[in-house]
Amino acid sequence: MKTTISSDALTRVCNILTEARKPTAPRVELTRFELALLADGVATNSDIGDYLITSEFRAYSSIEYFFEELFAPLEIAQQFIFRRPVDPLDEVHGTQGLSAVDATAFLIGLQGLGLQVDPSRLVEKLSDALKDRHSLTGNELEIVLYGNYVNRRRVVLKARPTESGGAKRETTHEDEAGFRFAMQWEGDSVVKLEVLGSLYEVPKPQEHVKCDYCGHEYLTNNTAEARIHQDVHTRRQEMFDPEPEQRFASHLATDVGGERVDHKSPLWMHGAVLERAFEFKREFRYDFVQWPGSSVTRAGEEWVGWLFAADAKGTIAGACAFMNRDAAAAVPDWSLQWVWLAPKFRRSGFLDARWAEFLKLYGDFDIEHPLSEAMQAFVRKHGTEKQKAALPAAVHE
Ligand SMILES: [Zn+2]
């Protein structure tokens, strides 16, 4: 936060901050001001001033005389407060003030500057009313996040340039609560104040990195990015280093369909094929996911998927999908849309072991282009004459 203030008000703030903190007894119950603020939902500036002099006594409670100058630098917007008229036709007169939320955010801002105010009781009461809200104003957010940021802020106030000039110097000090201050003076006026809360930590540097395992690119030292990476990483781990799945093991042991996924198979199998279709799309940078099924809808009858079992314990090594390109024809026209195996199961004979059965079930099927290098090599070795003929001309040997 870097905000502008008059050098006069900034100097008065610093006169308070350079005085020793006054000892205060911790208070649990709400003050009269706080009760009224919560009941009315608003407070006039004069109510706020009266409250501040009961809390920040330093420099002869001088805060009363200039606190309104801190509204703008702390991004607090004033409003007119009116008494409800007895008769709707009565003339009404407004007084400047703040809503309860804005007044509390103001106190949070003052506390961040190192001033002796305690917004914690108001924060507690107001947070309750905000806890189910998905959208918040900036000041409401200050209240909701109070516990995370109290005493942890760095605040910088810069004064508008003055004509006065004067000798430049910087003073630094730490107060009894552990707040650290750096003040830049020009003569008797302060032109810049930097406040570090007692628990302030220099933010860790952020850099763009790429995870070697899952390939996700993210910003370090950023909680939201870390959460997204964790999701992607876990999902990829389930595909790359799959765990045995009991339901697949049971299915393999009892169902004659075994690895086959068609319109009669359980939904989870359709979902498992889809997850591998996503991996195929990602790895080979295709535009479309070629599997219309998911864990909530089954793929239509023109589609058949296969889940490759790595063992009898239900570990899924990979998947493939066939599509009948002409459902109206008497003889189905099957084509292999894609094959994806977890890297550690590649070149282990999974496709080879099933190829003869695929040819039996789907005839001399086409293989959807383009083909990866590995798939081209496989077809050259195990494919039918027609499948080999459809390959692009070999560039090697
Ligand atoms: Zn990762």
Side-chain angles (χ1 to χ4, degrees):
M1 203 192 319
K2 210 174 235 174
T3 39
T4 306
I5 181 174
S6 78
S7 129
D8 178 53
L10 188 55
T11 307
R12 296 174 92 163
V13 170
C14 291
N15 288 338
I16 296 176
L17 295 174
T18 42
E19 225 176 82
R21 275 184 180 255
K22 303 269 192 237
T24 48
R27 187 186 170 103
V28 181
E29 70 279 18
L30 292 158
T31 65
R32 210 147 51 103
F33 165 76
E34 290 165 347
L35 284 167
L37 180 65
L38 293 169
D40 289 344
V42 292
T44 64
N45 286 1
S46 87
D47 295 334
I48 294 167
D50 288 347
Y51 168 70
L52 288 175
I53 58 172
T54 66
S55 185
E56 178 52 271
F57 304 108
R58 290 179 289 179
Y60 306 102
S61 297
S62 65
I63 185 132
E64 185 188 4
Y65 303 108
F66 69 91
F67 71 90
E68 286 153 291
E69 290 197 55
L70 294 170
F71 288 155
L74 295 175
E75 292 173 24
I76 303 294
Q78 300 186 73
Q79 312 198 31
F80 277 102
I81 313 288
F82 300 90
R83 288 235 161 258
R84 188 191 290 273
V86 179
D87 183 312
L89 299 177
D90 287 354
E91 217 172 282
V92 289
H93 299 282
T95 318
Q96 294 223 284
L98 301 178
S99 71
V101 162
D102 295 350
T104 305
F106 180 56
L107 296 180
I108 293 171
L110 295 182
Q111 189 182 39
L113 279 176
L115 294 166
Q116 286 189 268
V117 290
D118 180 8
S120 63
R121 295 172 298 271
L122 285 169
V123 165
E124 199 189 319
K125 293 285 172 197
L126 292 168
S127 298
D128 266 357
L130 297 171
K131 70 176 188 297
D132 295 326
R133 292 253 311 272
H134 291 295
S135 296
L136 300 160
T137 67
N139 288 342
E140 287 168 341
L141 201 58
E142 286 288 328
I143 291 169
V144 169
L145 299 179
Y146 176 75
N148 298 81
Y149 290 106
V150 62
N151 302 330
R152 287 191 160 82
R153 296 261 194 213
R154 171 180 180 267
V155 187
V156 175
L157 292 183
K158 281 178 97 170
R160 289 184 284 273
T162 51
E163 311 270 293
S164 62
K168 290 188 177 143
R169 66 197 161 95
E170 183 173 291
T171 58
T172 57
H173 75 284
E174 184 173 327
D175 75 4
E176 296 74 9
F179 274 63
R180 283 163 291 162
F181 305 94
M183 301 169 184
Q184 278 177 24
W185 300 75
E186 274 181 27
D188 294 330
S189 302
V190 179
V191 291
K192 186 181 167 196
L193 166 67
E194 182 190 41
V195 183
L196 302 181
S198 54
L199 301 175
Y200 174 78
E201 280 173 22
V202 180
K204 295 194 183 94
Q206 298 189 320
E207 53 175 344
H208 276 284
V209 292
K210 186 173 178 176
C211 176
D212 286 340
Y213 182 83
C214 73
H216 184 73
E217 289 177 42
Y218 63 101
L219 203 57
T220 58
N221 294 311
N222 178 303
T223 51
E225 296 247 334
R227 205 162 48 237
I228 294 165
H229 173 223
Q230 187 58 56
D231 280 355
V232 174
H233 195 97
T234 307
R235 229 178 316 136
R236 199 126 302 145
Q237 219 162 11
E238 287 165 7
M239 296 296 112
F240 283 21
D241 289 299
E243 296 277 335
E245 290 189 49
Q246 185 51 52
R247 58 190 180 180
F248 193 35
S250 315
H251 187 84
L252 290 171
T254 55
D255 187 270
V256 278
E259 297 179 325
R260 195 181 136 100
V261 185
D262 61 22
H263 63 284
K264 289 183 206 130
S265 305
L267 282 168
W268 67 262
M269 291 183 87
H270 285 260
V273 174
L274 178 66
E275 285 175 318
R276 274 86 192 166
F278 267 116
E279 288 306 320
F280 176 82
K281 169 186 175 285
R282 191 190 63 82
E283 185 170 340
F284 298 105
R285 299 175 193 283
Y286 283 5
D287 295 332
F288 303 105
V289 171
Q290 291 166 298
W291 180 252
S294 73
S295 57
V296 291
T297 47
R298 290 180 174 83
E301 286 188 40
E302 68 277 24
W303 287 88
V304 176
W306 288 79
L307 290 173
F308 303 148
D311 49 41
K313 289 182 287 182
T315 308
I316 302 172
C320 71
F322 288 90
M323 188 183 74
N324 178 5
R325 291 181 299 195
D326 190 357
V331 182
D333 175 19
W334 292 103
S335 100
L336 175 60
Q337 297 293 298
W338 54 270
V339 183
W340 188 84
L341 277 161
K344 70 178 189 185
F345 293 117
R346 289 177 194 176
R347 295 171 214 284
S348 311
F350 278 90
L351 202 52
D352 187 12
R354 289 154 181 84
W355 203 252
E357 193 185 354
F358 288 164
L359 288 171
K360 211 164 75 188
L361 289 166
Y362 307 117
D364 197 354
F365 57 86
D366 280 347
I367 304 166
E368 197 72 18
H369 282 240
L371 270 65
S372 69
E373 288 290 323
M375 194 61 197
Q376 289 183 35
F378 176 88
V379 174
R380 253 177 227 117
K381 206 164 159 197
H382 303 281
T384 63
E385 289 311 314
K386 188 185 127 198
Q387 290 167 346
K388 283 181 198 166
L391 287 174
V395 283
H396 52 86
E397 279 119 34

